[in-house]
Amino acid sequence: EAGVAQSPRYKIIEKRQSVAFWCNPISGHATLYWYQQILGQGPKLLIQFQNNGVVDDSQLPKDRFSAERLKGVDSTLKIQPAKLEDSAVYLCASSLNPQGAGEQFFGPGTRLTVL
Amino acid sequence: GNSVTQMEGPVTLSEEAFLTINCTYTATGYPSLFWYVQYPGEGLQLLLKATKADDKGSNKGFEATYRKETTSFHLEKGSVQVSDSAVYFCALGGGTSYGKLTFGQGTILTVHP
């Protein structure tokens, strides 16, 4: 079974530029998550999709971050314009069952450096 | 809201030493508890989980028991190996969080031969 795919793996941009990350979840997983992991901290949820609907985006900085999952499969996370503090690893995860003990499967992440 | 606190790190041990990484939590409802591990250069992967009070999760020689009375989920291993060197994250989910995982800050473990 293929895992969660993410691209690119690394990205370096200047502040005020825009960037986009792509995620393809495990086949059949209805729930998709984007987390931000700043160096030395645990991942923090940015947005959660159930199929192509948003379940939770309370921690997403909506003035600069946007995300979509148009067909309920793969997803794109965009930052425009980027700030220095956006330097982090962006993790995508997916799960079959969003409730209870449903395991989340994580992709390898995209490491973003904003200069 | 939900929160998870892990012991300060990093932790450095010799091979075959006993490992404990402390984790305490604050949550509403009845969450599930998880330990995730991140090996160098790899993504996060589930190590073990427990879904209700007094449950013990175990995998690869690691164990953790869901203690509701002390709101804790400490990770233990009787004899660590060099290959256990990684970052360990305690997390909670389920309950009222509808799938969202709340992570601790992570503990870096380094095991020397």
Side-chain angles (χ1 to χ4, degrees):
Chain A
E1 178 182 83
V4 176
Q6 289 188 249
S7 68
R9 292 294 308 275
Y10 305 91
K11 190 73 177 179
I12 301 174
I13 61 173
E14 302 279 335
K15 61 183 178 184
R16 291 188 289 274
Q17 286 186 323
S18 62
V19 64
F21 313 126
W22 175 82
C23 171
N24 192 34
I26 292 173
S27 178
H29 282 195
T31 310
L32 185 148
Y33 312 81
W34 283 102
Y35 290 86
Q36 180 192 56
Q37 185 178 11
I38 293 172
L39 187 65
Q41 299 181 19
K44 181 187 78 172
L45 181 73
L46 291 174
I47 189 167
Q48 177 183 346
F49 292 95
Q50 181 71 16
N51 296 308
N52 60 350
V54 175
V55 174
D56 183 350
D57 65 356
S58 57
Q59 298 296 305
L60 187 74
K62 298 180 186 65
D63 57 334
R64 297 184 300 106
F65 286 65
S66 64
E68 59 183 14
R69 193 184 185 201
L70 292 175
K71 296 181 180 178
V73 180
D74 57 346
S75 176
T76 302
L77 177 69
K78 296 180 182 177
I79 307 175
Q80 182 179 13
K83 293 185 174 181
L84 296 177
E85 59 261 36
D86 298 332
S87 294
V89 176
Y90 291 85
L91 298 168
C92 180
S94 68
S95 68
L96 266 176
N97 174 15
Q99 295 183 333
E103 178 180 353
Q104 291 186 23
F105 295 84
F106 285 82
T110 297
R111 182 176 298 276
L112 173 67
T113 302
V114 182
L115 303 176
Chain B
N2 295 343
S3 67
V4 176
T5 302
Q6 285 183 237
M7 65 184 292
E8 296 288 331
V11 175
T12 302
L13 296 173
S14 297
E15 209 165 23
E16 299 183 4
F18 184 84
L19 168 71
T20 300
I21 301 177
N22 290 339
C23 171
T24 57
Y25 68 91
T26 303
T28 54
Y30 302 95
S32 296
L33 298 173
F34 306 85
W35 278 99
Y36 277 82
V37 59
Q38 191 169 35
Y39 296 105
E42 298 184 20
L44 277 167
Q45 53 187 276
L46 181 66
L47 180 61
L48 53 84
K49 67 182 181 185
T51 60
K52 60 184 187 297
D54 300 325
D55 264 4
K56 178 186 283 188
S58 61
N59 186 25
K60 300 181 180 179
F62 291 88
E63 293 183 340
T65 301
Y66 188 160
R67 300 286 188 201
K68 194 164 186 287
E69 63 276 12
T70 55
T71 63
S72 65
F73 192 54
H74 305 321
L75 182 68
E76 297 182 335
K77 186 175 186 183
S79 176
V80 293
Q81 305 300 312
V82 172
S83 57
D84 294 326
S85 298
V87 184
Y88 293 81
F89 293 92
C90 184
L92 67 83
T96 59
S97 66
Y98 197 69
K100 167 186 171 180
L101 287 176
T102 299
F103 286 88
Q105 72 269 34
T107 300
I108 300 171
L109 171 66
T110 303
V111 181
H112 292 298

Short mmCIF file of all heavy atoms in Angstrom, two decimals, chain A residues 31-91:
data_model
loop_
_atom_site.label_atom_id
_atom_site.label_comp_id
_atom_site.label_asym_id
_atom_site.label_seq_id
_atom_site.Cartn_x
_atom_site.Cartn_y
_atom_site.Cartn_z
N THR A 31 -10.22 11.42 5.31
CA THR A 31 -9.80 12.56 6.13
C THR A 31 -8.35 12.92 5.83
O THR A 31 -7.48 12.04 5.80
CB THR A 31 -9.96 12.24 7.62
OG1 THR A 31 -11.28 11.72 7.84
CG2 THR A 31 -9.79 13.49 8.46
N LEU A 32 -8.12 14.20 5.61
CA LEU A 32 -6.77 14.69 5.31
C LEU A 32 -6.46 15.86 6.22
O LEU A 32 -7.32 16.71 6.49
CB LEU A 32 -6.70 15.11 3.83
CG LEU A 32 -5.34 15.55 3.28
CD1 LEU A 32 -5.22 15.19 1.80
CD2 LEU A 32 -5.09 17.02 3.48
N TYR A 33 -5.22 15.88 6.71
CA TYR A 33 -4.78 16.90 7.65
C TYR A 33 -3.51 17.57 7.13
O TYR A 33 -2.64 16.90 6.57
CB TYR A 33 -4.44 16.29 9.01
CG TYR A 33 -5.45 15.34 9.59
CD1 TYR A 33 -5.52 14.01 9.17
CD2 TYR A 33 -6.31 15.75 10.61
CE1 TYR A 33 -6.43 13.13 9.72
CE2 TYR A 33 -7.23 14.87 11.16
CZ TYR A 33 -7.28 13.55 10.71
OH TYR A 33 -8.19 12.67 11.27
N TRP A 34 -3.38 18.86 7.39
CA TRP A 34 -2.13 19.58 7.21
C TRP A 34 -1.67 20.07 8.58
O TRP A 34 -2.43 20.72 9.31
CB TRP A 34 -2.30 20.78 6.29
CG TRP A 34 -2.37 20.48 4.84
CD1 TRP A 34 -3.49 20.45 4.05
CD2 TRP A 34 -1.27 20.20 3.96
NE1 TRP A 34 -3.15 20.15 2.75
CE2 TRP A 34 -1.79 19.99 2.67
CE3 TRP A 34 0.12 20.10 4.14
CZ2 TRP A 34 -0.98 19.70 1.56
CZ3 TRP A 34 0.91 19.81 3.05
CH2 TRP A 34 0.36 19.61 1.78
N TYR A 35 -0.42 19.74 8.92
CA TYR A 35 0.19 20.19 10.17
C TYR A 35 1.41 21.04 9.85
O TYR A 35 2.11 20.81 8.85
CB TYR A 35 0.67 19.01 11.02
CG TYR A 35 -0.42 18.16 11.63
CD1 TYR A 35 -1.00 17.10 10.92
CD2 TYR A 35 -0.86 18.38 12.93
CE1 TYR A 35 -1.98 16.30 11.49
CE2 TYR A 35 -1.83 17.59 13.52
CZ TYR A 35 -2.39 16.55 12.78
OH TYR A 35 -3.36 15.76 13.36
N GLN A 36 1.70 21.98 10.74
CA GLN A 36 2.93 22.76 10.68
C GLN A 36 3.82 22.35 11.86
O GLN A 36 3.36 22.34 13.01
CB GLN A 36 2.61 24.25 10.77
CG GLN A 36 3.84 25.16 10.72
CD GLN A 36 3.50 26.59 11.12
OE1 GLN A 36 2.98 26.84 12.19
NE2 GLN A 36 3.77 27.53 10.21
N GLN A 37 5.07 22.00 11.56
CA GLN A 37 6.00 21.61 12.62
C GLN A 37 7.20 22.56 12.60
O GLN A 37 8.07 22.44 11.74
CB GLN A 37 6.46 20.17 12.46
CG GLN A 37 7.32 19.69 13.62
CD GLN A 37 7.75 18.24 13.48
OE1 GLN A 37 7.58 17.62 12.44
NE2 GLN A 37 8.28 17.68 14.55
N ILE A 38 7.21 23.47 13.55
CA ILE A 38 8.34 24.38 13.70
C ILE A 38 9.45 23.66 14.46
O ILE A 38 9.17 22.84 15.33
CB ILE A 38 7.90 25.66 14.44
CG1 ILE A 38 6.92 26.44 13.54
CG2 ILE A 38 9.07 26.52 14.83
CD1 ILE A 38 6.25 27.61 14.20
N LEU A 39 10.68 23.96 14.12
CA LEU A 39 11.83 23.27 14.71
C LEU A 39 11.76 23.29 16.23
O LEU A 39 11.58 24.34 16.84
CB LEU A 39 13.12 23.95 14.23
CG LEU A 39 14.42 23.27 14.62
CD1 LEU A 39 14.52 21.89 13.96
CD2 LEU A 39 15.62 24.13 14.26
N GLY A 40 11.88 22.10 16.83
CA GLY A 40 11.88 21.99 18.27
C GLY A 40 10.49 21.91 18.90
O GLY A 40 10.36 21.86 20.12
N GLN A 41 9.47 21.88 18.05
CA GLN A 41 8.10 21.80 18.56
C GLN A 41 7.38 20.60 17.95
O GLN A 41 7.83 20.03 16.95
CB GLN A 41 7.33 23.08 18.21
CG GLN A 41 7.91 24.34 18.81
CD GLN A 41 7.10 25.57 18.45
OE1 GLN A 41 5.94 25.48 18.06
NE2 GLN A 41 7.71 26.73 18.59
N GLY A 42 6.26 20.25 18.55
CA GLY A 42 5.42 19.21 17.97
C GLY A 42 4.57 19.77 16.85
O GLY A 42 4.37 20.99 16.75
N PRO A 43 4.07 18.90 15.98
CA PRO A 43 3.21 19.37 14.89
C PRO A 43 1.95 20.05 15.43
O PRO A 43 1.41 19.65 16.46
CB PRO A 43 2.85 18.08 14.15
CG PRO A 43 3.94 17.12 14.50
CD PRO A 43 4.33 17.46 15.90
N LYS A 44 1.51 21.07 14.71
CA LYS A 44 0.28 21.79 15.06
C LYS A 44 -0.66 21.75 13.87
O LYS A 44 -0.27 22.06 12.75
CB LYS A 44 0.62 23.24 15.41
CG LYS A 44 -0.59 24.08 15.83
CD LYS A 44 -0.20 25.54 16.00
CE LYS A 44 -0.10 26.24 14.66
NZ LYS A 44 0.08 27.71 14.80
N LEU A 45 -1.91 21.36 14.13
CA LEU A 45 -2.87 21.24 13.04
C LEU A 45 -3.18 22.60 12.43
O LEU A 45 -3.47 23.57 13.13
CB LEU A 45 -4.17 20.62 13.54
CG LEU A 45 -5.25 20.43 12.47
CD1 LEU A 45 -4.87 19.28 11.54
CD2 LEU A 45 -6.62 20.18 13.09
N LEU A 46 -3.10 22.67 11.08
CA LEU A 46 -3.51 23.87 10.37
C LEU A 46 -4.95 23.72 9.86
O LEU A 46 -5.77 24.62 10.02
CB LEU A 46 -2.59 24.13 9.18
CG LEU A 46 -1.16 24.56 9.52
CD1 LEU A 46 -0.32 24.65 8.25
CD2 LEU A 46 -1.15 25.89 10.27
N ILE A 47 -5.23 22.60 9.22
CA ILE A 47 -6.54 22.40 8.63
C ILE A 47 -6.82 20.91 8.49
O ILE A 47 -5.91 20.11 8.28
CB ILE A 47 -6.64 23.11 7.25
CG1 ILE A 47 -8.07 23.09 6.71
CG2 ILE A 47 -5.66 22.52 6.25
CD1 ILE A 47 -8.29 24.05 5.53
N GLN A 48 -8.10 20.55 8.63
CA GLN A 48 -8.56 19.18 8.49
C GLN A 48 -9.71 19.14 7.50
O GLN A 48 -10.66 19.91 7.60
CB GLN A 48 -9.02 18.64 9.85
CG GLN A 48 -9.60 17.23 9.80
CD GLN A 48 -10.10 16.77 11.16
OE1 GLN A 48 -9.81 17.37 12.19
NE2 GLN A 48 -10.86 15.69 11.17
N PHE A 49 -9.61 18.23 6.53
CA PHE A 49 -10.66 18.01 5.54
C PHE A 49 -11.32 16.65 5.79
O PHE A 49 -10.66 15.67 6.11
CB PHE A 49 -10.09 17.98 4.11
CG PHE A 49 -9.55 19.28 3.61
CD1 PHE A 49 -8.21 19.58 3.72
CD2 PHE A 49 -10.39 20.19 2.99
CE1 PHE A 49 -7.71 20.78 3.23
CE2 PHE A 49 -9.90 21.39 2.49
CZ PHE A 49 -8.55 21.68 2.62
N GLN A 50 -12.63 16.60 5.59
CA GLN A 50 -13.36 15.35 5.51
C GLN A 50 -13.93 15.32 4.10
O GLN A 50 -14.79 16.13 3.76
CB GLN A 50 -14.46 15.28 6.56
CG GLN A 50 -15.26 14.00 6.55
CD GLN A 50 -14.49 12.82 7.07
OE1 GLN A 50 -13.44 12.98 7.71
NE2 GLN A 50 -14.96 11.63 6.81
N ASN A 51 -13.39 14.39 3.28
CA ASN A 51 -13.66 14.42 1.83
C ASN A 51 -13.22 15.79 1.30
O ASN A 51 -12.07 16.16 1.51
CB ASN A 51 -15.11 14.08 1.54
CG ASN A 51 -15.42 12.65 1.96
OD1 ASN A 51 -14.73 11.71 1.58
ND2 ASN A 51 -16.44 12.50 2.79
N ASN A 52 -14.08 16.56 0.68
CA ASN A 52 -13.61 17.86 0.19
C ASN A 52 -14.13 19.02 1.03
O ASN A 52 -14.03 20.19 0.63
CB ASN A 52 -13.97 18.05 -1.28
CG ASN A 52 -15.46 17.98 -1.51
OD1 ASN A 52 -16.22 17.63 -0.62
ND2 ASN A 52 -15.89 18.33 -2.71
N GLY A 53 -14.68 18.73 2.22
CA GLY A 53 -15.17 19.76 3.11
C GLY A 53 -14.22 20.02 4.26
O GLY A 53 -13.55 19.10 4.74
N VAL A 54 -14.17 21.28 4.72
CA VAL A 54 -13.30 21.66 5.83
C VAL A 54 -13.99 21.34 7.16
O VAL A 54 -15.12 21.76 7.39
CB VAL A 54 -12.95 23.15 5.76
CG1 VAL A 54 -12.14 23.55 7.00
CG2 VAL A 54 -12.17 23.46 4.50
N VAL A 55 -13.30 20.59 8.01
CA VAL A 55 -13.82 20.25 9.34
C VAL A 55 -13.31 21.23 10.38
O VAL A 55 -14.05 21.66 11.27
CB VAL A 55 -13.43 18.81 9.73
CG1 VAL A 55 -13.84 18.51 11.17
CG2 VAL A 55 -14.05 17.81 8.77
N ASP A 56 -12.02 21.57 10.28
CA ASP A 56 -11.41 22.45 11.28
C ASP A 56 -10.31 23.25 10.60
O ASP A 56 -9.37 22.67 10.07
CB ASP A 56 -10.83 21.60 12.43
CG ASP A 56 -10.24 22.43 13.55
OD1 ASP A 56 -10.09 23.66 13.41
OD2 ASP A 56 -9.90 21.84 14.60
N ASP A 57 -10.42 24.55 10.59
CA ASP A 57 -9.35 25.43 10.09
C ASP A 57 -9.12 26.56 11.08
O ASP A 57 -8.68 27.64 10.70
CB ASP A 57 -9.65 25.94 8.69
CG ASP A 57 -10.89 26.85 8.64
OD1 ASP A 57 -11.57 27.00 9.69
OD2 ASP A 57 -11.19 27.39 7.57
N SER A 58 -9.40 26.30 12.34
CA SER A 58 -9.34 27.35 13.36
C SER A 58 -7.92 27.87 13.59
O SER A 58 -7.74 28.99 14.05
CB SER A 58 -9.92 26.84 14.68
OG SER A 58 -9.23 25.68 15.12
N GLN A 59 -6.89 27.05 13.28
CA GLN A 59 -5.51 27.47 13.49
C GLN A 59 -4.83 27.89 12.18
O GLN A 59 -3.61 28.14 12.19
CB GLN A 59 -4.71 26.33 14.13
CG GLN A 59 -5.24 25.92 15.50
CD GLN A 59 -5.10 27.04 16.50
OE1 GLN A 59 -4.02 27.57 16.71
NE2 GLN A 59 -6.20 27.41 17.14
N LEU A 60 -5.56 27.99 11.12
CA LEU A 60 -4.99 28.39 9.82
C LEU A 60 -4.96 29.92 9.72
O LEU A 60 -6.00 30.56 9.84
CB LEU A 60 -5.83 27.81 8.69
CG LEU A 60 -5.27 27.99 7.27
CD1 LEU A 60 -4.10 27.04 7.05
CD2 LEU A 60 -6.37 27.75 6.24
N PRO A 61 -3.77 30.51 9.51
CA PRO A 61 -3.70 31.98 9.34
C PRO A 61 -4.28 32.37 7.98
O PRO A 61 -3.58 32.43 6.97
CB PRO A 61 -2.20 32.27 9.42
CG PRO A 61 -1.57 31.01 9.95
CD PRO A 61 -2.44 29.90 9.51
N LYS A 62 -5.54 32.66 7.97
CA LYS A 62 -6.27 32.75 6.71
C LYS A 62 -5.90 33.99 5.88
O LYS A 62 -6.28 34.08 4.70
CB LYS A 62 -7.78 32.72 6.97
CG LYS A 62 -8.25 31.43 7.63
CD LYS A 62 -9.74 31.45 7.87
CE LYS A 62 -10.16 30.23 8.66
NZ LYS A 62 -9.61 30.21 10.04
N ASP A 63 -5.19 34.93 6.50
CA ASP A 63 -4.77 36.09 5.72
C ASP A 63 -3.66 35.74 4.74
O ASP A 63 -3.44 36.45 3.75
CB ASP A 63 -4.32 37.22 6.64
CG ASP A 63 -3.18 36.80 7.56
OD1 ASP A 63 -3.07 35.59 7.86
OD2 ASP A 63 -2.41 37.68 7.99
N ARG A 64 -2.97 34.61 4.98
CA ARG A 64 -1.86 34.27 4.08
C ARG A 64 -1.86 32.80 3.65
O ARG A 64 -1.22 32.45 2.68
CB ARG A 64 -0.53 34.58 4.77
CG ARG A 64 -0.34 36.04 5.09
CD ARG A 64 1.02 36.32 5.69
NE ARG A 64 1.23 35.58 6.94
CZ ARG A 64 2.02 34.54 7.04
NH1 ARG A 64 2.68 34.10 5.98
NH2 ARG A 64 2.19 33.94 8.21
N PHE A 65 -2.53 31.95 4.41
CA PHE A 65 -2.57 30.52 4.11
C PHE A 65 -3.93 30.15 3.51
O PHE A 65 -4.97 30.66 3.96
CB PHE A 65 -2.38 29.68 5.37
CG PHE A 65 -0.98 29.65 5.92
CD1 PHE A 65 -0.37 30.79 6.41
CD2 PHE A 65 -0.28 28.46 5.97
CE1 PHE A 65 0.91 30.76 6.92
CE2 PHE A 65 1.01 28.40 6.50
CZ PHE A 65 1.60 29.56 6.97
N SER A 66 -3.88 29.26 2.53
CA SER A 66 -5.12 28.71 1.98
C SER A 66 -4.88 27.25 1.63
O SER A 66 -3.75 26.84 1.39
CB SER A 66 -5.58 29.48 0.75
OG SER A 66 -4.63 29.35 -0.29
N ALA A 67 -5.95 26.48 1.64
CA ALA A 67 -5.83 25.07 1.30
C ALA A 67 -7.10 24.63 0.60
O ALA A 67 -8.17 25.16 0.86
CB ALA A 67 -5.59 24.22 2.55
N GLU A 68 -6.94 23.65 -0.28
CA GLU A 68 -8.10 23.11 -0.96
C GLU A 68 -7.93 21.62 -1.20
O GLU A 68 -6.82 21.11 -1.26
CB GLU A 68 -8.34 23.84 -2.28
CG GLU A 68 -7.20 23.77 -3.26
CD GLU A 68 -7.48 24.58 -4.53
OE1 GLU A 68 -8.43 25.39 -4.54
OE2 GLU A 68 -6.74 24.40 -5.50
N ARG A 69 -9.06 20.98 -1.35
CA ARG A 69 -9.10 19.54 -1.64
C ARG A 69 -10.31 19.34 -2.55
O ARG A 69 -11.34 18.85 -2.13
CB ARG A 69 -9.22 18.72 -0.35
CG ARG A 69 -8.96 17.24 -0.55
CD ARG A 69 -9.19 16.46 0.72
NE ARG A 69 -8.82 15.06 0.52
CZ ARG A 69 -9.26 14.06 1.28
NH1 ARG A 69 -10.06 14.31 2.31
NH2 ARG A 69 -8.89 12.82 1.05
N LEU A 70 -10.17 19.76 -3.78
CA LEU A 70 -11.31 19.93 -4.67
C LEU A 70 -12.07 18.65 -4.97
O LEU A 70 -13.28 18.64 -5.01
CB LEU A 70 -10.85 20.58 -5.97
CG LEU A 70 -10.39 22.04 -5.83
CD1 LEU A 70 -9.84 22.56 -7.14
CD2 LEU A 70 -11.53 22.91 -5.32
N LYS A 71 -11.40 17.56 -5.19
CA LYS A 71 -12.09 16.33 -5.57
C LYS A 71 -12.10 15.31 -4.43
O LYS A 71 -12.37 14.13 -4.66
CB LYS A 71 -11.45 15.73 -6.82
CG LYS A 71 -11.58 16.64 -8.05
CD LYS A 71 -10.96 15.99 -9.27
CE LYS A 71 -11.11 16.92 -10.48
NZ LYS A 71 -10.46 16.34 -11.69
N GLY A 72 -11.78 15.77 -3.23
CA GLY A 72 -11.80 14.86 -2.10
C GLY A 72 -10.66 13.87 -2.09
O GLY A 72 -10.71 12.88 -1.35
N VAL A 73 -9.61 14.14 -2.89
CA VAL A 73 -8.47 13.22 -2.90
C VAL A 73 -7.22 14.02 -2.52
O VAL A 73 -6.97 14.22 -1.33
CB VAL A 73 -8.30 12.53 -4.26
CG1 VAL A 73 -7.10 11.58 -4.24
CG2 VAL A 73 -9.56 11.76 -4.62
N ASP A 74 -6.46 14.50 -3.51
CA ASP A 74 -5.25 15.23 -3.16
C ASP A 74 -5.57 16.66 -2.75
O ASP A 74 -6.69 17.16 -2.95
CB ASP A 74 -4.22 15.17 -4.30
CG ASP A 74 -4.76 15.70 -5.60
OD1 ASP A 74 -5.99 15.87 -5.71
OD2 ASP A 74 -3.95 15.95 -6.51
N SER A 75 -4.57 17.29 -2.16
CA SER A 75 -4.78 18.60 -1.56
C SER A 75 -3.57 19.49 -1.82
O SER A 75 -2.45 19.00 -1.98
CB SER A 75 -4.99 18.45 -0.05
OG SER A 75 -5.10 19.71 0.59
N THR A 76 -3.83 20.80 -1.82
CA THR A 76 -2.77 21.79 -1.97
C THR A 76 -2.86 22.80 -0.85
O THR A 76 -3.96 23.27 -0.52
CB THR A 76 -2.90 22.53 -3.32
OG1 THR A 76 -2.86 21.58 -4.38
CG2 THR A 76 -1.76 23.51 -3.49
N LEU A 77 -1.72 23.11 -0.25
CA LEU A 77 -1.61 24.15 0.77
C LEU A 77 -0.76 25.27 0.19
O LEU A 77 0.31 25.02 -0.34
CB LEU A 77 -0.95 23.59 2.04
CG LEU A 77 -0.68 24.58 3.18
CD1 LEU A 77 -1.98 25.04 3.81
CD2 LEU A 77 0.23 23.95 4.24
N LYS A 78 -1.25 26.50 0.28
CA LYS A 78 -0.53 27.64 -0.28
C LYS A 78 -0.26 28.69 0.78
O LYS A 78 -1.08 28.90 1.68
CB LYS A 78 -1.35 28.28 -1.41
CG LYS A 78 -1.57 27.38 -2.61
CD LYS A 78 -2.40 28.07 -3.68
CE LYS A 78 -2.65 27.15 -4.86
NZ LYS A 78 -3.51 27.77 -5.89
N ILE A 79 0.89 29.35 0.65
CA ILE A 79 1.23 30.47 1.51
C ILE A 79 1.54 31.66 0.59
O ILE A 79 2.36 31.56 -0.32
CB ILE A 79 2.46 30.18 2.38
CG1 ILE A 79 2.29 28.86 3.15
CG2 ILE A 79 2.69 31.33 3.36
CD1 ILE A 79 3.52 28.45 3.95
N GLN A 80 0.83 32.76 0.84
CA GLN A 80 1.05 33.95 0.02
C GLN A 80 0.61 35.20 0.77
O GLN A 80 -0.60 35.35 1.04
CB GLN A 80 0.26 33.82 -1.29
CG GLN A 80 0.45 34.97 -2.25
CD GLN A 80 -0.33 34.79 -3.55
OE1 GLN A 80 -1.20 33.92 -3.65
NE2 GLN A 80 -0.05 35.60 -4.54
N PRO A 81 1.50 36.10 1.13
CA PRO A 81 2.95 36.02 0.99
C PRO A 81 3.59 35.35 2.19
O PRO A 81 3.06 35.38 3.30
CB PRO A 81 3.34 37.51 0.95
CG PRO A 81 2.33 38.15 1.88
CD PRO A 81 1.05 37.37 1.70
N ALA A 82 4.74 34.75 1.99
CA ALA A 82 5.42 34.05 3.07
C ALA A 82 6.15 35.03 3.99
O ALA A 82 6.62 36.08 3.56
CB ALA A 82 6.42 33.04 2.51
N LYS A 83 6.21 34.66 5.27
CA LYS A 83 6.96 35.40 6.27
C LYS A 83 8.07 34.52 6.81
O LYS A 83 8.02 33.29 6.69
CB LYS A 83 6.06 35.84 7.42
CG LYS A 83 5.00 36.87 7.04
CD LYS A 83 4.24 37.32 8.28
CE LYS A 83 3.27 38.44 7.96
NZ LYS A 83 2.54 38.90 9.17
N LEU A 84 9.05 35.15 7.46
CA LEU A 84 10.18 34.40 8.02
C LEU A 84 9.69 33.31 8.98
O LEU A 84 10.23 32.20 9.00
CB LEU A 84 11.14 35.34 8.74
CG LEU A 84 11.85 36.38 7.88
CD1 LEU A 84 12.72 37.28 8.76
CD2 LEU A 84 12.70 35.72 6.81
N GLU A 85 8.65 33.65 9.76
CA GLU A 85 8.18 32.71 10.78
C GLU A 85 7.43 31.50 10.19
O GLU A 85 7.04 30.59 10.93
CB GLU A 85 7.28 33.39 11.81
CG GLU A 85 6.05 34.06 11.21
CD GLU A 85 6.25 35.56 11.04
OE1 GLU A 85 7.38 35.98 10.72
OE2 GLU A 85 5.26 36.29 11.23
N ASP A 86 7.23 31.49 8.87
CA ASP A 86 6.61 30.33 8.24
C ASP A 86 7.61 29.21 7.98
O ASP A 86 7.22 28.12 7.53
CB ASP A 86 5.96 30.74 6.91
CG ASP A 86 4.85 31.76 7.08
OD1 ASP A 86 4.22 31.77 8.15
OD2 ASP A 86 4.63 32.56 6.14
N SER A 87 8.88 29.46 8.24
CA SER A 87 9.90 28.41 8.08
C SER A 87 9.56 27.26 9.01
O SER A 87 9.46 27.44 10.23
CB SER A 87 11.29 28.96 8.41
OG SER A 87 11.69 29.92 7.47
N ALA A 88 9.35 26.09 8.45
CA ALA A 88 8.87 24.94 9.21
C ALA A 88 8.81 23.74 8.27
O ALA A 88 9.06 23.86 7.07
CB ALA A 88 7.47 25.21 9.77
N VAL A 89 8.47 22.60 8.85
CA VAL A 89 8.14 21.42 8.04
C VAL A 89 6.62 21.32 7.99
O VAL A 89 5.94 21.42 9.01
CB VAL A 89 8.73 20.14 8.63
CG1 VAL A 89 8.29 18.92 7.82
CG2 VAL A 89 10.25 20.22 8.68
N TYR A 90 6.09 21.17 6.79
CA TYR A 90 4.64 21.04 6.59
C TYR A 90 4.32 19.58 6.33
O TYR A 90 4.78 18.99 5.36
CB TYR A 90 4.17 21.97 5.48
CG TYR A 90 4.29 23.41 5.92
CD1 TYR A 90 5.51 24.09 5.80
CD2 TYR A 90 3.24 24.05 6.55
CE1 TYR A 90 5.65 25.38 6.28
CE2 TYR A 90 3.37 25.35 7.03
CZ TYR A 90 4.59 26.00 6.89
OH TYR A 90 4.72 27.28 7.37
N LEU A 91 3.54 19.02 7.23
CA LEU A 91 3.23 17.60 7.21
C LEU A 91 1.80 17.39 6.74
O LEU A 91 0.88 18.09 7.19
CB LEU A 91 3.38 16.99 8.60
CG LEU A 91 4.76 17.04 9.22
CD1 LEU A 91 4.69 16.67 10.70
CD2 LEU A 91 5.69 16.08 8.51
#
